Amino acid sequence: MPHEIGSAPRAGAQTPRATRRRFPAIERRSLYALGLGAASVAGFAPLYLFPLPIVTLALLIWLWRGAESPKRAAVTGWWFGLGFFLVGVSWVYVSLHTFGSMPWPLAAIGTFLFCAYLSVFPAAAGYVFAIVRGPIWLKAAVVTPAAWTLTEWMRGWLFPWIGMGYSQVPVSPLAGYAPVLGIYGVTWIMVLGAALLTLAGEAVLHGRHRAHAAPAVKRSPLLLVPFAAFIVLMLGGHALKQIRWTSPDGEPVSVTLLQGNIPQELKWTHEGLRTTLITYRELALASRSRLIVFPETALPLFLRDVPEDYLESIADHARQNGGDALIGVPERLAGGDYYNTVISLGMSPPQFYRKTHLVPLGEFIPLRPLLGWIVGVLAIPLQDFSRGSTDAQPLAIAGQRVAVDICYEDAFGEEIIRQLPQATILVNVSNVAWFGRSIAPEQHLQISQARALETGRYMLRATNTGMTAVVNERGRVVDVAPQFATATLTSLVQGYVGATPYVRTGNAVILVLCAILLTAGFLYARLRPLKRT
C-alpha cells in the first residue's frame, strides 16, 4: 500500500536522512580498511616492523565487529586486502610493463585485477566472521584465526607471497612457532594475538562504561584474560626460539655465491650473451670455495648449446678446489621438452635438479585457450617450460647433501621439505631482475629466511641482481651482497641434520587444527541457543 502523506514510516523503512548518515559511515569503514591493509606491508621486509600487522589485524577485527551484515564484513575485508596487495605486490606492474613490455594501461589494469582477486581471500575471512552468530570471543579468537589461516593457505595454492606469518620472520617472538607449525602456523598465532588485542580493547571499553554507569561496580578480573593470553603467546614463541631442533653435521664448507648483475633487457639478447658468459666464468674462476653457486638461468642458452670448453673450464676449476659448481641453465631434451635446470659440475658426478613449480604466465600459460593472447603481449622468453619430477633428491656435492629450489619455489614450504631431512643445506637460485628496484627482492629474501627457520638449515641464495645472501639455520642473514652490483659472496656454511616438527608433519597439523576450530565454532554458535531453552 502506498505510503500516505503525513503518516509514520513503515517499520524498518529508512528515512533519507538516515540513509545519508549510513552511507558515509560505510565509506569511512572501507577507507579505514584500505589504509590498514596498506599500512600492514610495513611489517614485512624491508622495514620489518613486525608488531604493526598484528595491530592492523586487531583493528580489522574491530571493524568486522561493527559490520551490519556478513556482506558488509566481506566488503570490509576486501578493501583491507586491496590496500595490502596493491602496496605489497606493486612490483607486478614492474614485471609486466618494464620487463614484460606490456603497455602501461594493460599492465596497470592487470595489476589491479590481480590484487582485486587476491583480496577475495581476506573478504572470505570477514564473511565467515560475520555469519557465526555467537559471542565476540568465539568469533574473534576461535573462528577468525582459523578462517584467515585457511583462506590464506588456499590463496597460497596460486600465490603464497607475503602471507601474514612472514612479517614475523625472523625477529618477532612469534617466529619461534615456525619450526613447529610452519609459516601458516605463525599466521594462525599472529591472528589469534590480534584477536586477543581486540578482545582486550573491548573489555577495557566495556569496563569503563560499567564503571561510569555504576561507579560502585568493580571491574571484573576477566578484563585481564586477553592481555594475559597475548603475553603467553609471545613468551611461548620466545621459549621455542631457544630450542635447537637440528644439529651441526661435519665441518663447515666454503661457499661462493655469484651475482652477475646482468640487466634483464640484455640477458636474452645476442649482444648480451658474450658479456654474460664472460662475467660468470670470471667470477667462478676467481673463487677458491668448495661450492660455487650460479643464479637461475645464469647461462642464457640451452645447456646443449653451451660451448664444451666453457663448461669444462668451470668443472676443472671446481675440481681444483676439491668441490663442485651449481649452474643455472635452461635444458632442452631430445624430445623437445625444456626445463629450468640446475646442473652440478666438478668432483662429483654431474647431477640435475629440474624446476617443478613453474610461474604462471612467466614459465607456462595456464588456461591457454583463454589466456593464450598474453603470449603475444609479454616479451618473456621460454614460456613453455616442462615440469621436473616432484621426487627429486638432494644433490651429493661438495661433501654436503644440497636441496636445490629455483625462483619462487621456496615460497612453498611443503615442497621444500620433500628433500628433508636428508638434505644438509638448502640452495635457492633466482633471477629477480624481473622485479626491478622494488621491494620484491627483499620480500623474497624474507621468504627464504622463513624456510631456513622451518627446516633448521642454512639457506644459500644466488641471484642475478640481488638479494644474494647467506641465511643461517635461525633465519638470520649472515651476509648479503649489494644489490645491482657485480659481486661474489663467500662464506663458511655449516651443514645440519635432524628434523624440526614442521619437517615431519608439514602443514597438516595447523590445517587440521584450523578445520577443527572452525567446525567447533559453528557448532557452538548453532547449539548454544538450544541449551538455553
Side-chain angles (χ1 to χ4, degrees):
M1 181 176 179
H3 177 59
E4 297 179 3
I5 298 175
S7 63
R10 295 188 303 273
Q14 285 188 326
T15 64
R17 181 174 298 177
T19 303
R20 285 197 299 270
R21 283 197 303 268
R22 184 181 175 217
F23 283 146
I26 293 174
E27 291 168 1
R28 284 197 300 271
R29 185 182 298 118
S30 298
L31 289 175
Y32 293 155
L34 182 72
L36 290 173
S40 301
V41 179
F44 296 79
L47 296 181
Y48 291 97
L49 301 178
F50 68 85
L52 185 57
I54 301 176
V55 175
T56 57
L57 284 171
L59 294 173
L60 174 63
I61 295 171
W62 189 276
L63 291 177
W64 283 341
R65 174 84 165 94
E68 299 91 341
S69 65
K71 179 181 178 181
R72 180 48 54 187
V75 169
T76 301
W78 186 86
W79 279 103
F80 179 93
L82 188 65
F84 181 66
F85 292 113
L86 281 177
V87 176
V89 297
S90 55
W91 45 264
V92 170
Y93 173 83
V94 177
S95 298
L96 294 176
H97 174 59
T98 306
F99 298 108
S101 298
M102 180 179 283
W104 74 262
L106 281 179
I109 293 171
T111 301
F112 178 84
L113 292 177
F114 181 59
C115 294
Y117 163 73
L118 297 177
S119 302
V120 169
F121 295 94
Y127 185 82
V128 172
F129 171 93
I131 62 175
V132 174
R133 303 297 182 183
I136 182 60
W137 66 264
L138 176 76
K139 294 160 67 73
V142 177
V143 171
T144 300
W148 187 284
T149 303
L150 289 174
T151 55
E152 190 164 276
W153 172 71
M154 288 187 285
R155 169 172 74 84
W157 298 350
L158 171 67
F159 190 74
W161 212 269
I162 61 170
M164 275 295 175
Y166 287 113
S167 67
Q168 304 303 295
V169 174
V171 179
S172 167
L174 299 186
Y177 293 98
V180 180
L181 297 173
I183 204 65
Y184 290 115
V186 177
T187 294
W188 177 72
I189 295 288
M190 182 182 171
V191 181
L192 175 58
L196 292 172
L197 289 182
T198 304
L199 293 175
E202 177 141 329
V204 169
L205 293 177
H206 181 65
R208 287 180 178 176
H209 175 74
R210 291 183 62 196
H212 179 75
V217 177
K218 294 183 178 180
R219 293 185 180 180
S220 168
L222 291 178
L223 296 179
L224 300 177
V225 171
F227 286 113
F230 181 81
I231 292 173
V232 167
L233 286 181
M234 289 292 178
L235 291 177
H238 177 73
L240 288 172
K241 289 184 79 170
Q242 311 313 309
I243 300 175
R244 293 193 173 273
W245 301 100
T246 56
S247 57
D249 179 47
E251 296 296 321
V253 60
S254 57
V255 172
T256 295
L257 310 177
L258 310 185
Q259 181 175 292
N261 193 38
I262 307 299
Q264 188 60 34
E265 59 270 21
L266 295 179
K267 178 174 180 177
W268 296 99
T269 65
H270 179 73
E271 296 78 10
L273 175 60
R274 185 172 183 273
T275 299
T276 300
L277 293 178
I278 291 174
T279 297
Y280 276 110
R281 180 160 61 182
E282 289 180 349
L283 293 176
L285 297 185
S287 169
R288 296 294 177 265
S289 295
R290 194 173 177 190
L291 178 61
I292 303 171
V293 185
F294 289 60
E296 174 189 14
T297 59
L299 310 185
L301 68 171
F302 288 119
L303 177 62
R304 66 187 185 186
D305 298 326
V306 180
E308 289 187 16
D309 61 337
Y310 183 91
L311 294 176
E312 190 57 36
S313 66
I314 295 173
D316 281 344
H317 183 73
R319 284 191 285 266
Q320 291 173 16
N321 293 346
D324 299 274
L326 284 175
I327 303 175
V329 58
E331 177 195 16
R332 187 160 200 149
L333 302 185
D337 291 343
Y338 54 87
Y339 298 86
N340 192 344
T341 298
V342 170
I343 179 176
S344 73
L345 297 174
M347 290 285 291
S348 306
Q351 297 161 71
F352 295 82
Y353 172 78
R354 299 181 177 103
K355 187 178 182 183
T356 63
H357 204 125
L358 305 179
V359 179
L361 302 181
E363 293 174 315
F364 79 103
I365 305 298
L367 305 174
R368 182 173 284 273
L370 181 64
L371 301 176
W373 62 273
I374 297 179
V375 175
V377 177
L378 291 175
I380 298 178
L382 303 178
Q383 292 180 337
D384 284 305
F385 278 107
S386 299
R387 289 180 172 84
S389 172
T390 58
D391 60 357
Q393 296 299 307
L395 308 184
I397 55 176
Q400 300 290 327
R401 296 179 298 281
V402 178
V404 178
D405 61 86
I406 300 175
C407 190
Y408 88 144
E409 283 188 310
D410 67 344
F412 301 88
E414 273 204 318
E415 296 182 10
I416 296 300
I417 63 175
R418 289 173 183 165
Q419 301 186 57
L420 293 167
Q422 293 87 351
T424 56
I425 293 176
L426 307 180
V427 168
N428 173 265
V429 297
S430 295
N431 176 29
V432 291
W434 287 103
F435 304 143
R437 296 182 181 272
S438 69
I439 59 177
E442 288 161 300
Q443 290 176 344
H444 196 186
L445 174 58
Q446 191 173 35
I447 289 172
S448 291
Q449 291 176 270
R451 299 291 88 83
L453 260 176
E454 287 175 343
T455 60
R457 301 291 195 279
Y458 266 74
M459 169 68 86
L460 312 181
R461 304 191 73 249
T463 71
N464 178 28
T465 57
M467 307 282 288
T468 297
V470 175
V471 181
N472 69 13
E473 83 287 0
R474 313 289 281 181
R476 300 275 187 163
V477 175
V478 175
D479 203 357
V480 61
Q483 279 190 278
F484 304 105
T486 302
T488 59
L489 189 64
T490 300
S491 181
L492 279 178
V493 174
Q494 177 66 60
Y496 277 80
V497 294
T500 65
Y502 178 72
V503 165
R504 298 186 184 280
T505 63
N507 293 328
V509 171
I510 191 61
L511 295 179
V512 170
L513 175 62
C514 287
I516 291 173
L517 290 174
L518 203 57
T519 303
F522 274 98
L523 290 176
Y524 181 89
R526 186 176 183 86
L527 299 176
R528 188 168 177 261
L530 297 179
K531 294 181 179 180
R532 291 179 172 180
T533 57

